Amino acid sequence: MAMPALIENALANALTLVIDLDPALRDIVVLSLRISLTAVVVASLIALPLGAALALWHFPGRGLIVVALNALMGLPPVVAGLTVYLLLSRAGPFGELGLLFTPAAMVIAQVVLVLPIIAALTRQQIEALWAEYGEQLTSFGHGRLRAIPTLLWDARFGLITVILAGFGRASAEVGAVLIVGGNIDGVTRVMTTAIALETNKGNLALALGLGIVLLTLVALVNAAAYLIGESARRRLG
Amino acid sequence: MNTMATPCHTAPALTLDRVSFTHRGQRLLGEISLRLAGPGKTLVMGPNGAGKSLLLRLCHGLLQPTAGRVHWTTPAPHRPPRQAMVFQRPVLLRRSALANLTYALATIGTPFSQRRRRAWDALERFGLTTIAQRPARVLSGGEQQRLALARAWLLEPQVLFLDEPTSALDPAAIKAVEDAVNEFNHQGIRIVMTSHDLHQARRLADNVVFLSGGQLIEHTPAERFFASPDTRQAQAFIQGELIW
Amino acid sequence: MLRHLFAGTGLLLTLAGSALAQDSAQDQSSSQDSQNERFIILASTTSTEQSGLFDALLPKFKESSGIEVRVVAVGTGQAFELGRRGDADSLLVHDTAGEETFVAEGYASERRDVMYNDFVLIGPADDPAGIRDAGSAQEAFSRIAEAEAPFASRGDDSGTHRAEQRQWQEAGVEASVSWYRELGSGMGPTLNTAAGMNAYVFADRATWIAFDNRQDLELLYAGDEALFNQYGSLLLSEERHPHLKHDLAEQWHEWLLSEEGQQAIADYELKGQQLFFPNAD
């Protein structure tokens, strides 16, 4: 298929998929969003306080954790997937839970991928903010623990971008969810694994069409976060 | 400002006992022994790099001395007095002016239901009601510093530290800050303030702590300091000579 | 402070809340499923998945048994690994020798023929090696080697890859990297790559028929009995993996071999062609 014709077909496919509200596509989109959003929320609940703590406390071994987090930001999704697979496999330590090839396993894999990004970038932002706020908050008589919620809240505009970066990685990756989810039709098939499958079938126009739908969704989530952030910024500075 | 919520009857006294501060092997301050008692306004003066801000931070407890001891004598023993500090460049949170004040009230445990009203009182006292809902960080320098003073006032301090609070302000804003400082002191709040501005010091000081090169050169009542200081360095400083 | 936190993260929490609520709902339903043991995990090959066969078979099986079959489509080598680790309840693969070893090692208690199709040789339409009129598969492979025409191999230890390697062996050809490319990919990606570099490629007929991105490629040689591609169903060992859903897996296994299942396989057509030929004994 020639390139212009392919792109034309892909756009037509994307439009048809969206306009027809294809039920299979809708299920895939809903599952993709649910898994990635859940993963980002779970990862944020851990990574935001963790990143803040790493910014505020200097303890032995802290450097090691910081370097490890920075390195894990580049963790290949396939490696994350393989690790989670080995943990959740029946022959692995958590096999009893029976989570392999379920959406929960995919959430776990994405948390592994996203947590280092959010934690490492949060540390940078909070460290910078602490340099500015540190004396004033100490003057208020705050301990560092008490300072964490204040710092996280006041860094919120930057942290939204950090969380969106995590969401981007979660929703874009295919290697990890393919291994731990199994790409089971109707159960663990998400946008990216569906795209990979259609590519493998040589159905490039449909694959690209799904890609356009995915890109549009990610763009919409980003736009929503941007608009909320902007209006809050205007109101609160 | 009409009345303070909690007037102070007995001013706490601050004693520095052979205090020094060393950073990366370099002694930046000390040894300094100093006693600040009575209800007045102390101006910490000296050329750039003399250690004025450092001394203030040691007194307020933001920094711990490398050697020596900083301690308070208060009516309630073993408990440092309530303190607040106003910085050269005010550190305001990324929220509205009003929210910056309610935040400060939360830190001293003011019940939620009273915070808004008391914050509003403070805005009125400092002439800031028109900017209550504006983001604090887009206010002008003068408004920001007045907001920082309002915030300090809400903390009901017995001692207020001010570190070069007017160095970046225009004359009108400087006057507003100085009026507020006098008013604070009139309400019984002990003032410890750094400045490198002799005119400002003459207007405000009851007594002067003069530092140079990290050393305490003299601690003298203001009248004597400006008329005939005890030391040659202070004399040179007043005459506008450069000393290092 | 807390009020602000709640307000500010409102959207995120709402989204997350609904996501989590749905998730736990899903978890509940799937744990109910596992309580009722109403689904099995079937490890199978990409060729069967991508041919669309399961889309035709599974609804029929579910209708007659009430059991949902969740297909994890991987290479045959990985399917064996899933079986060894106890991560799949049943296997449907196409490497008879490997399957027999799997049984001999004690991982499976039974292996049965289910269906077959055949492997085909695909290549550029102008056929530079001239295999179109080859007399046998052996001859076709020899001609490719003589012409040193580009050849794209799966190179992933899959059933198809193993079958391809047997053909080279029988043709007595030592493949050289100058024209022989091991891709280490599934059937679809290998066909995509072969189409991109206009190479010969060994594929299973089902994937080829279902494959859309053919560009200049055509089916050039097929029909030799040596290219027979047998699929087998494996019943996993109860002793090794007592936790698996052996009862349900056995129902699936038996259904595949039953008249109903065999007929369903024969009925499946794609683009007017029958892809799989039932041959349970």
mmCIF file with all atom_site columns, all heavy atoms in Angstrom, chain A residues 129 132-133 135-136 139 142 150 154 156 236, chain B residues 57 60 93-95 103 107 135 137 151:
data_model
loop_
_atom_site.group_PDB
_atom_site.id
_atom_site.type_symbol
_atom_site.label_atom_id
_atom_site.label_alt_id
_atom_site.label_comp_id
_atom_site.label_asym_id
_atom_site.label_entity_id
_atom_site.label_seq_id
_atom_site.pdbx_PDB_ins_code
_atom_site.Cartn_x
_atom_site.Cartn_y
_atom_site.Cartn_z
_atom_site.occupancy
_atom_site.B_iso_or_equiv
_atom_site.pdbx_formal_charge
_atom_site.auth_seq_id
_atom_site.auth_comp_id
_atom_site.auth_asym_id
_atom_site.auth_atom_id
_atom_site.pdbx_PDB_model_num
ATOM 1   N N   . LEU A 1 129 ? 11.494 23.523 45.118 1.00 0.00 ? 129 LEU A N   1
ATOM 2   C CA  . LEU A 1 129 ? 10.537 24.320 45.891 1.00 0.00 ? 129 LEU A CA  1
ATOM 3   C C   . LEU A 1 129 ? 10.980 24.443 47.354 1.00 0.00 ? 129 LEU A C   1
ATOM 4   O O   . LEU A 1 129 ? 10.796 25.488 47.990 1.00 0.00 ? 129 LEU A O   1
ATOM 5   C CB  . LEU A 1 129 ? 9.147  23.678 45.806 1.00 0.00 ? 129 LEU A CB  1
ATOM 6   C CG  . LEU A 1 129 ? 7.985  24.567 46.250 1.00 0.00 ? 129 LEU A CG  1
ATOM 7   C CD1 . LEU A 1 129 ? 7.900  25.797 45.364 1.00 0.00 ? 129 LEU A CD1 1
ATOM 8   C CD2 . LEU A 1 129 ? 6.672  23.796 46.192 1.00 0.00 ? 129 LEU A CD2 1
ATOM 9   N N   . GLU A 1 132 ? 13.249 27.168 48.060 1.00 0.00 ? 132 GLU A N   1
ATOM 10  C CA  . GLU A 1 132 ? 12.588 28.466 48.184 1.00 0.00 ? 132 GLU A CA  1
ATOM 11  C C   . GLU A 1 132 ? 11.792 28.573 49.491 1.00 0.00 ? 132 GLU A C   1
ATOM 12  O O   . GLU A 1 132 ? 11.843 29.589 50.182 1.00 0.00 ? 132 GLU A O   1
ATOM 13  C CB  . GLU A 1 132 ? 11.655 28.637 46.978 1.00 0.00 ? 132 GLU A CB  1
ATOM 14  C CG  . GLU A 1 132 ? 10.998 29.995 46.894 1.00 0.00 ? 132 GLU A CG  1
ATOM 15  C CD  . GLU A 1 132 ? 9.913  30.016 45.830 1.00 0.00 ? 132 GLU A CD  1
ATOM 16  O OE1 . GLU A 1 132 ? 10.015 29.257 44.855 1.00 0.00 ? 132 GLU A OE1 1
ATOM 17  O OE2 . GLU A 1 132 ? 8.951  30.790 46.012 1.00 0.00 ? 132 GLU A OE2 1
ATOM 18  N N   . TYR A 1 133 ? 11.060 27.514 49.833 1.00 0.00 ? 133 TYR A N   1
ATOM 19  C CA  . TYR A 1 133 ? 10.127 27.568 50.959 1.00 0.00 ? 133 TYR A CA  1
ATOM 20  C C   . TYR A 1 133 ? 10.750 27.185 52.299 1.00 0.00 ? 133 TYR A C   1
ATOM 21  O O   . TYR A 1 133 ? 10.168 27.461 53.345 1.00 0.00 ? 133 TYR A O   1
ATOM 22  C CB  . TYR A 1 133 ? 8.961  26.601 50.727 1.00 0.00 ? 133 TYR A CB  1
ATOM 23  C CG  . TYR A 1 133 ? 7.870  27.091 49.803 1.00 0.00 ? 133 TYR A CG  1
ATOM 24  C CD1 . TYR A 1 133 ? 8.055  28.220 49.016 1.00 0.00 ? 133 TYR A CD1 1
ATOM 25  C CD2 . TYR A 1 133 ? 6.654  26.426 49.737 1.00 0.00 ? 133 TYR A CD2 1
ATOM 26  C CE1 . TYR A 1 133 ? 7.051  28.655 48.166 1.00 0.00 ? 133 TYR A CE1 1
ATOM 27  C CE2 . TYR A 1 133 ? 5.646  26.856 48.901 1.00 0.00 ? 133 TYR A CE2 1
ATOM 28  C CZ  . TYR A 1 133 ? 5.857  27.970 48.104 1.00 0.00 ? 133 TYR A CZ  1
ATOM 29  O OH  . TYR A 1 133 ? 4.864  28.385 47.280 1.00 0.00 ? 133 TYR A OH  1
ATOM 30  N N   . GLU A 1 135 ? 13.078 27.931 54.516 1.00 0.00 ? 135 GLU A N   1
ATOM 31  C CA  . GLU A 1 135 ? 13.233 28.790 55.688 1.00 0.00 ? 135 GLU A CA  1
ATOM 32  C C   . GLU A 1 135 ? 11.886 29.261 56.221 1.00 0.00 ? 135 GLU A C   1
ATOM 33  O O   . GLU A 1 135 ? 11.672 29.305 57.427 1.00 0.00 ? 135 GLU A O   1
ATOM 34  C CB  . GLU A 1 135 ? 14.092 30.004 55.319 1.00 0.00 ? 135 GLU A CB  1
ATOM 35  C CG  . GLU A 1 135 ? 15.560 29.659 55.190 1.00 0.00 ? 135 GLU A CG  1
ATOM 36  C CD  . GLU A 1 135 ? 16.443 30.886 55.273 1.00 0.00 ? 135 GLU A CD  1
ATOM 37  O OE1 . GLU A 1 135 ? 16.021 31.926 54.729 1.00 0.00 ? 135 GLU A OE1 1
ATOM 38  O OE2 . GLU A 1 135 ? 17.521 30.805 55.879 1.00 0.00 ? 135 GLU A OE2 1
ATOM 39  N N   . GLN A 1 136 ? 10.980 29.631 55.300 1.00 0.00 ? 136 GLN A N   1
ATOM 40  C CA  . GLN A 1 136 ? 9.690  30.144 55.748 1.00 0.00 ? 136 GLN A CA  1
ATOM 41  C C   . GLN A 1 136 ? 8.906  29.063 56.494 1.00 0.00 ? 136 GLN A C   1
ATOM 42  O O   . GLN A 1 136 ? 8.339  29.315 57.559 1.00 0.00 ? 136 GLN A O   1
ATOM 43  C CB  . GLN A 1 136 ? 8.881  30.648 54.547 1.00 0.00 ? 136 GLN A CB  1
ATOM 44  C CG  . GLN A 1 136 ? 7.546  31.244 54.923 1.00 0.00 ? 136 GLN A CG  1
ATOM 45  C CD  . GLN A 1 136 ? 7.694  32.522 55.735 1.00 0.00 ? 136 GLN A CD  1
ATOM 46  O OE1 . GLN A 1 136 ? 8.252  33.506 55.281 1.00 0.00 ? 136 GLN A OE1 1
ATOM 47  N NE2 . GLN A 1 136 ? 7.210  32.492 56.976 1.00 0.00 ? 136 GLN A NE2 1
ATOM 48  N N   . SER A 1 139 ? 10.407 28.489 59.744 1.00 0.00 ? 139 SER A N   1
ATOM 49  C CA  . SER A 1 139 ? 10.055 29.610 60.617 1.00 0.00 ? 139 SER A CA  1
ATOM 50  C C   . SER A 1 139 ? 8.652  29.427 61.199 1.00 0.00 ? 139 SER A C   1
ATOM 51  O O   . SER A 1 139 ? 8.388  29.806 62.332 1.00 0.00 ? 139 SER A O   1
ATOM 52  C CB  . SER A 1 139 ? 10.128 30.917 59.821 1.00 0.00 ? 139 SER A CB  1
ATOM 53  O OG  . SER A 1 139 ? 9.652  31.991 60.588 1.00 0.00 ? 139 SER A OG  1
ATOM 54  N N   . HIS A 1 142 ? 7.262  24.275 61.201 1.00 0.00 ? 142 HIS A N   1
ATOM 55  C CA  . HIS A 1 142 ? 6.925  22.990 60.583 1.00 0.00 ? 142 HIS A CA  1
ATOM 56  C C   . HIS A 1 142 ? 8.108  22.053 60.612 1.00 0.00 ? 142 HIS A C   1
ATOM 57  O O   . HIS A 1 142 ? 9.218  22.446 60.297 1.00 0.00 ? 142 HIS A O   1
ATOM 58  C CB  . HIS A 1 142 ? 6.563  23.178 59.108 1.00 0.00 ? 142 HIS A CB  1
ATOM 59  C CG  . HIS A 1 142 ? 5.226  23.790 58.905 1.00 0.00 ? 142 HIS A CG  1
ATOM 60  N ND1 . HIS A 1 142 ? 4.389  24.086 59.926 1.00 0.00 ? 142 HIS A ND1 1
ATOM 61  C CD2 . HIS A 1 142 ? 4.584  24.151 57.779 1.00 0.00 ? 142 HIS A CD2 1
ATOM 62  C CE1 . HIS A 1 142 ? 3.284  24.615 59.427 1.00 0.00 ? 142 HIS A CE1 1
ATOM 63  N NE2 . HIS A 1 142 ? 3.389  24.677 58.142 1.00 0.00 ? 142 HIS A NE2 1
ATOM 64  N N   . THR A 1 150 ? 2.145  20.724 52.027 1.00 0.00 ? 150 THR A N   1
ATOM 65  C CA  . THR A 1 150 ? 2.242  22.087 51.517 1.00 0.00 ? 150 THR A CA  1
ATOM 66  C C   . THR A 1 150 ? 3.054  22.123 50.225 1.00 0.00 ? 150 THR A C   1
ATOM 67  O O   . THR A 1 150 ? 2.659  22.748 49.239 1.00 0.00 ? 150 THR A O   1
ATOM 68  C CB  . THR A 1 150 ? 2.921  22.997 52.563 1.00 0.00 ? 150 THR A CB  1
ATOM 69  O OG1 . THR A 1 150 ? 2.187  22.906 53.777 1.00 0.00 ? 150 THR A OG1 1
ATOM 70  C CG2 . THR A 1 150 ? 2.964  24.434 52.084 1.00 0.00 ? 150 THR A CG2 1
ATOM 71  N N   . ASP A 1 154 ? 1.737  23.165 46.564 1.00 0.00 ? 154 ASP A N   1
ATOM 72  C CA  . ASP A 1 154 ? 2.245  24.353 45.883 1.00 0.00 ? 154 ASP A CA  1
ATOM 73  C C   . ASP A 1 154 ? 3.013  24.002 44.617 1.00 0.00 ? 154 ASP A C   1
ATOM 74  O O   . ASP A 1 154 ? 3.209  24.858 43.755 1.00 0.00 ? 154 ASP A O   1
ATOM 75  C CB  . ASP A 1 154 ? 3.096  25.195 46.836 1.00 0.00 ? 154 ASP A CB  1
ATOM 76  C CG  . ASP A 1 154 ? 2.215  26.132 47.653 1.00 0.00 ? 154 ASP A CG  1
ATOM 77  O OD1 . ASP A 1 154 ? 1.194  25.653 48.177 1.00 0.00 ? 154 ASP A OD1 1
ATOM 78  O OD2 . ASP A 1 154 ? 2.525  27.335 47.726 1.00 0.00 ? 154 ASP A OD2 1
ATOM 79  N N   . ARG A 1 156 ? 1.829  21.898 42.554 1.00 0.00 ? 156 ARG A N   1
ATOM 80  C CA  . ARG A 1 156 ? 0.818  21.109 41.836 1.00 0.00 ? 156 ARG A CA  1
ATOM 81  C C   . ARG A 1 156 ? 0.865  21.301 40.321 1.00 0.00 ? 156 ARG A C   1
ATOM 82  O O   . ARG A 1 156 ? 0.649  20.345 39.580 1.00 0.00 ? 156 ARG A O   1
ATOM 83  C CB  . ARG A 1 156 ? -0.578 21.421 42.373 1.00 0.00 ? 156 ARG A CB  1
ATOM 84  C CG  . ARG A 1 156 ? -1.022 22.877 42.243 1.00 0.00 ? 156 ARG A CG  1
ATOM 85  C CD  . ARG A 1 156 ? -2.208 23.136 43.163 1.00 0.00 ? 156 ARG A CD  1
ATOM 86  N NE  . ARG A 1 156 ? -2.661 24.515 43.182 1.00 0.00 ? 156 ARG A NE  1
ATOM 87  C CZ  . ARG A 1 156 ? -2.092 25.468 43.909 1.00 0.00 ? 156 ARG A CZ  1
ATOM 88  N NH1 . ARG A 1 156 ? -1.023 25.205 44.639 1.00 0.00 ? 156 ARG A NH1 1
ATOM 89  N NH2 . ARG A 1 156 ? -2.570 26.692 43.902 1.00 0.00 ? 156 ARG A NH2 1
ATOM 90  N N   . LEU A 1 236 ? -5.311 31.143 41.225 1.00 0.00 ? 236 LEU A N   1
ATOM 91  C CA  . LEU A 1 236 ? -4.510 31.043 42.443 1.00 0.00 ? 236 LEU A CA  1
ATOM 92  C C   . LEU A 1 236 ? -3.061 31.482 42.279 1.00 0.00 ? 236 LEU A C   1
ATOM 93  O O   . LEU A 1 236 ? -2.364 31.702 43.257 1.00 0.00 ? 236 LEU A O   1
ATOM 94  C CB  . LEU A 1 236 ? -4.519 29.593 42.946 1.00 0.00 ? 236 LEU A CB  1
ATOM 95  C CG  . LEU A 1 236 ? -5.892 29.063 43.307 1.00 0.00 ? 236 LEU A CG  1
ATOM 96  C CD1 . LEU A 1 236 ? -5.851 27.572 43.514 1.00 0.00 ? 236 LEU A CD1 1
ATOM 97  C CD2 . LEU A 1 236 ? -6.402 29.747 44.570 1.00 0.00 ? 236 LEU A CD2 1
ATOM 98  N N   . ARG B 2 57  ? 19.306 34.413 61.678 1.00 0.00 ? 57  ARG B N   1
ATOM 99  C CA  . ARG B 2 57  ? 18.844 33.027 61.510 1.00 0.00 ? 57  ARG B CA  1
ATOM 100 C C   . ARG B 2 57  ? 19.232 32.158 62.711 1.00 0.00 ? 57  ARG B C   1
ATOM 101 O O   . ARG B 2 57  ? 18.482 31.255 63.096 1.00 0.00 ? 57  ARG B O   1
ATOM 102 C CB  . ARG B 2 57  ? 19.398 32.446 60.206 1.00 0.00 ? 57  ARG B CB  1
ATOM 103 C CG  . ARG B 2 57  ? 18.595 32.893 58.994 1.00 0.00 ? 57  ARG B CG  1
ATOM 104 C CD  . ARG B 2 57  ? 19.326 32.677 57.681 1.00 0.00 ? 57  ARG B CD  1
ATOM 105 N NE  . ARG B 2 57  ? 18.451 32.958 56.543 1.00 0.00 ? 57  ARG B NE  1
ATOM 106 C CZ  . ARG B 2 57  ? 18.091 34.178 56.153 1.00 0.00 ? 57  ARG B CZ  1
ATOM 107 N NH1 . ARG B 2 57  ? 18.536 35.243 56.821 1.00 0.00 ? 57  ARG B NH1 1
ATOM 108 N NH2 . ARG B 2 57  ? 17.287 34.349 55.121 1.00 0.00 ? 57  ARG B NH2 1
ATOM 109 N N   . HIS B 2 60  ? 16.765 33.081 65.443 1.00 0.00 ? 60  HIS B N   1
ATOM 110 C CA  . HIS B 2 60  ? 15.411 32.578 65.193 1.00 0.00 ? 60  HIS B CA  1
ATOM 111 C C   . HIS B 2 60  ? 15.360 31.056 65.246 1.00 0.00 ? 60  HIS B C   1
ATOM 112 O O   . HIS B 2 60  ? 14.284 30.465 65.357 1.00 0.00 ? 60  HIS B O   1
ATOM 113 C CB  . HIS B 2 60  ? 14.954 33.085 63.824 1.00 0.00 ? 60  HIS B CB  1
ATOM 114 C CG  . HIS B 2 60  ? 13.530 32.743 63.479 1.00 0.00 ? 60  HIS B CG  1
ATOM 115 N ND1 . HIS B 2 60  ? 12.517 32.710 64.406 1.00 0.00 ? 60  HIS B ND1 1
ATOM 116 C CD2 . HIS B 2 60  ? 12.939 32.426 62.298 1.00 0.00 ? 60  HIS B CD2 1
ATOM 117 C CE1 . HIS B 2 60  ? 11.375 32.384 63.817 1.00 0.00 ? 60  HIS B CE1 1
ATOM 118 N NE2 . HIS B 2 60  ? 11.611 32.206 62.533 1.00 0.00 ? 60  HIS B NE2 1
ATOM 119 N N   . LEU B 2 93  ? 3.224  31.607 49.545 1.00 0.00 ? 93  LEU B N   1
ATOM 120 C CA  . LEU B 2 93  ? 2.801  30.349 48.930 1.00 0.00 ? 93  LEU B CA  1
ATOM 121 C C   . LEU B 2 93  ? 2.025  30.633 47.650 1.00 0.00 ? 93  LEU B C   1
ATOM 122 O O   . LEU B 2 93  ? 1.479  31.715 47.469 1.00 0.00 ? 93  LEU B O   1
ATOM 123 C CB  . LEU B 2 93  ? 1.938  29.552 49.908 1.00 0.00 ? 93  LEU B CB  1
ATOM 124 C CG  . LEU B 2 93  ? 2.575  29.289 51.274 1.00 0.00 ? 93  LEU B CG  1
ATOM 125 C CD1 . LEU B 2 93  ? 1.664  28.433 52.129 1.00 0.00 ? 93  LEU B CD1 1
ATOM 126 C CD2 . LEU B 2 93  ? 3.933  28.619 51.121 1.00 0.00 ? 93  LEU B CD2 1
ATOM 127 N N   . ARG B 2 94  ? 1.975  29.657 46.778 1.00 0.00 ? 94  ARG B N   1
ATOM 128 C CA  . ARG B 2 94  ? 1.323  29.818 45.472 1.00 0.00 ? 94  ARG B CA  1
ATOM 129 C C   . ARG B 2 94  ? -0.185 29.679 45.643 1.00 0.00 ? 94  ARG B C   1
ATOM 130 O O   . ARG B 2 94  ? -0.789 28.710 45.198 1.00 0.00 ? 94  ARG B O   1
ATOM 131 C CB  . ARG B 2 94  ? 1.868  28.785 44.502 1.00 0.00 ? 94  ARG B CB  1
ATOM 132 C CG  . ARG B 2 94  ? 3.291  29.108 44.053 1.00 0.00 ? 94  ARG B CG  1
ATOM 133 C CD  . ARG B 2 94  ? 3.982  27.917 43.445 1.00 0.00 ? 94  ARG B CD  1
ATOM 134 N NE  . ARG B 2 94  ? 5.266  28.254 42.840 1.00 0.00 ? 94  ARG B NE  1
ATOM 135 C CZ  . ARG B 2 94  ? 6.392  28.490 43.503 1.00 0.00 ? 94  ARG B CZ  1
ATOM 136 N NH1 . ARG B 2 94  ? 6.387  28.464 44.826 1.00 0.00 ? 94  ARG B NH1 1
ATOM 137 N NH2 . ARG B 2 94  ? 7.516  28.775 42.882 1.00 0.00 ? 94  ARG B NH2 1
ATOM 138 N N   . ARG B 2 95  ? -0.744 30.652 46.319 1.00 0.00 ? 95  ARG B N   1
ATOM 139 C CA  . ARG B 2 95  ? -2.185 30.682 46.552 1.00 0.00 ? 95  ARG B CA  1
ATOM 140 C C   . ARG B 2 95  ? -2.596 32.142 46.652 1.00 0.00 ? 95  ARG B C   1
ATOM 141 O O   . ARG B 2 95  ? -1.760 33.019 46.531 1.00 0.00 ? 95  ARG B O   1
ATOM 142 C CB  . ARG B 2 95  ? -2.585 29.993 47.854 1.00 0.00 ? 95  ARG B CB  1
ATOM 143 C CG  . ARG B 2 95  ? -1.588 28.979 48.276 1.00 0.00 ? 95  ARG B CG  1
ATOM 144 C CD  . ARG B 2 95  ? -1.776 28.397 49.625 1.00 0.00 ? 95  ARG B CD  1
ATOM 145 N NE  . ARG B 2 95  ? -0.817 27.294 49.698 1.00 0.00 ? 95  ARG B NE  1
ATOM 146 C CZ  . ARG B 2 95  ? -1.019 26.157 50.315 1.00 0.00 ? 95  ARG B CZ  1
ATOM 147 N NH1 . ARG B 2 95  ? -2.119 25.953 50.950 1.00 0.00 ? 95  ARG B NH1 1
ATOM 148 N NH2 . ARG B 2 95  ? -0.109 25.214 50.303 1.00 0.00 ? 95  ARG B NH2 1
ATOM 149 N N   . TYR B 2 103 ? -3.501 29.943 55.898 1.00 0.00 ? 103 TYR B N   1
ATOM 150 C CA  . TYR B 2 103 ? -2.503 28.881 56.070 1.00 0.00 ? 103 TYR B CA  1
ATOM 151 C C   . TYR B 2 103 ? -1.695 29.132 57.346 1.00 0.00 ? 103 TYR B C   1
ATOM 152 O O   . TYR B 2 103 ? -1.494 28.222 58.157 1.00 0.00 ? 103 TYR B O   1
ATOM 153 C CB  . TYR B 2 103 ? -1.581 28.837 54.854 1.00 0.00 ? 103 TYR B CB  1
ATOM 154 C CG  . TYR B 2 103 ? -0.499 27.786 54.961 1.00 0.00 ? 103 TYR B CG  1
ATOM 155 C CD1 . TYR B 2 103 ? -0.707 26.502 54.474 1.00 0.00 ? 103 TYR B CD1 1
ATOM 156 C CD2 . TYR B 2 103 ? 0.724  28.075 55.570 1.00 0.00 ? 103 TYR B CD2 1
ATOM 157 C CE1 . TYR B 2 103 ? 0.267  25.530 54.586 1.00 0.00 ? 103 TYR B CE1 1
ATOM 158 C CE2 . TYR B 2 103 ? 1.711  27.105 55.693 1.00 0.00 ? 103 TYR B CE2 1
ATOM 159 C CZ  . TYR B 2 103 ? 1.473  25.835 55.197 1.00 0.00 ? 103 TYR B CZ  1
ATOM 160 O OH  . TYR B 2 103 ? 2.441  24.875 55.316 1.00 0.00 ? 103 TYR B OH  1
ATOM 161 N N   . THR B 2 107 ? -1.263 26.920 60.955 1.00 0.00 ? 107 THR B N   1
ATOM 162 C CA  . THR B 2 107 ? -0.031 26.416 61.559 1.00 0.00 ? 107 THR B CA  1
ATOM 163 C C   . THR B 2 107 ? 0.011  26.669 63.066 1.00 0.00 ? 107 THR B C   1
ATOM 164 O O   . THR B 2 107 ? 0.720  25.968 63.779 1.00 0.00 ? 107 THR B O   1
ATOM 165 C CB  . THR B 2 107 ? 1.232  27.044 60.935 1.00 0.00 ? 107 THR B CB  1
ATOM 166 O OG1 . THR B 2 107 ? 1.290  28.419 61.306 1.00 0.00 ? 107 THR B OG1 1
ATOM 167 C CG2 . THR B 2 107 ? 1.238  26.910 59.438 1.00 0.00 ? 107 THR B CG2 1
ATOM 168 N N   . PRO B 2 135 ? -3.699 36.128 43.398 1.00 0.00 ? 135 PRO B N   1
ATOM 169 C CA  . PRO B 2 135 ? -2.580 35.238 43.692 1.00 0.00 ? 135 PRO B CA  1
ATOM 170 C C   . PRO B 2 135 ? -1.455 36.028 44.351 1.00 0.00 ? 135 PRO B C   1
ATOM 171 O O   . PRO B 2 135 ? -1.067 37.098 43.859 1.00 0.00 ? 135 PRO B O   1
ATOM 172 C CB  . PRO B 2 135 ? -2.148 34.733 42.315 1.00 0.00 ? 135 PRO B CB  1
ATOM 173 C CG  . PRO B 2 135 ? -3.316 34.953 41.421 1.00 0.00 ? 135 PRO B CG  1
ATOM 174 C CD  . PRO B 2 135 ? -4.045 36.133 41.965 1.00 0.00 ? 135 PRO B CD  1
ATOM 175 N N   . ARG B 2 137 ? 1.629  35.712 44.560 1.00 0.00 ? 137 ARG B N   1
ATOM 176 C CA  . ARG B 2 137 ? 2.931  35.868 43.924 1.00 0.00 ? 137 ARG B CA  1
ATOM 177 C C   . ARG B 2 137 ? 2.924  36.823 42.742 1.00 0.00 ? 137 ARG B C   1
ATOM 178 O O   . ARG B 2 137 ? 3.974  37.069 42.151 1.00 0.00 ? 137 ARG B O   1
ATOM 179 C CB  . ARG B 2 137 ? 3.465  34.498 43.519 1.00 0.00 ? 137 ARG B CB  1
ATOM 180 C CG  . ARG B 2 137 ? 3.638  33.616 44.754 1.00 0.00 ? 137 ARG B CG  1
ATOM 181 C CD  . ARG B 2 137 ? 3.914  32.212 44.365 1.00 0.00 ? 137 ARG B CD  1
ATOM 182 N NE  . ARG B 2 137 ? 5.186  32.110 43.665 1.00 0.00 ? 137 ARG B NE  1
ATOM 183 C CZ  . ARG B 2 137 ? 6.360  31.966 44.278 1.00 0.00 ? 137 ARG B CZ  1
ATOM 184 N NH1 . ARG B 2 137 ? 6.411  31.911 45.593 1.00 0.00 ? 137 ARG B NH1 1
ATOM 185 N NH2 . ARG B 2 137 ? 7.461  31.875 43.589 1.00 0.00 ? 137 ARG B NH2 1
ATOM 186 N N   . ARG B 2 151 ? 0.921  38.415 57.772 1.00 0.00 ? 151 ARG B N   1
ATOM 187 C CA  . ARG B 2 151 ? 1.029  37.005 58.136 1.00 0.00 ? 151 ARG B CA  1
ATOM 188 C C   . ARG B 2 151 ? 1.792  36.857 59.456 1.00 0.00 ? 151 ARG B C   1
ATOM 189 O O   . ARG B 2 151 ? 1.386  36.108 60.348 1.00 0.00 ? 151 ARG B O   1
ATOM 190 C CB  . ARG B 2 151 ? 1.737  36.245 57.016 1.00 0.00 ? 151 ARG B CB  1
ATOM 191 C CG  . ARG B 2 151 ? 1.898  34.771 57.283 1.00 0.00 ? 151 ARG B CG  1
ATOM 192 C CD  . ARG B 2 151 ? 2.413  34.044 56.061 1.00 0.00 ? 151 ARG B CD  1
ATOM 193 N NE  . ARG B 2 151 ? 3.767  34.470 55.702 1.00 0.00 ? 151 ARG B NE  1
ATOM 194 C CZ  . ARG B 2 151 ? 4.422  34.044 54.626 1.00 0.00 ? 151 ARG B CZ  1
ATOM 195 N NH1 . ARG B 2 151 ? 3.847  33.198 53.797 1.00 0.00 ? 151 ARG B NH1 1
ATOM 196 N NH2 . ARG B 2 151 ? 5.633  34.467 54.364 1.00 0.00 ? 151 ARG B NH2 1
#
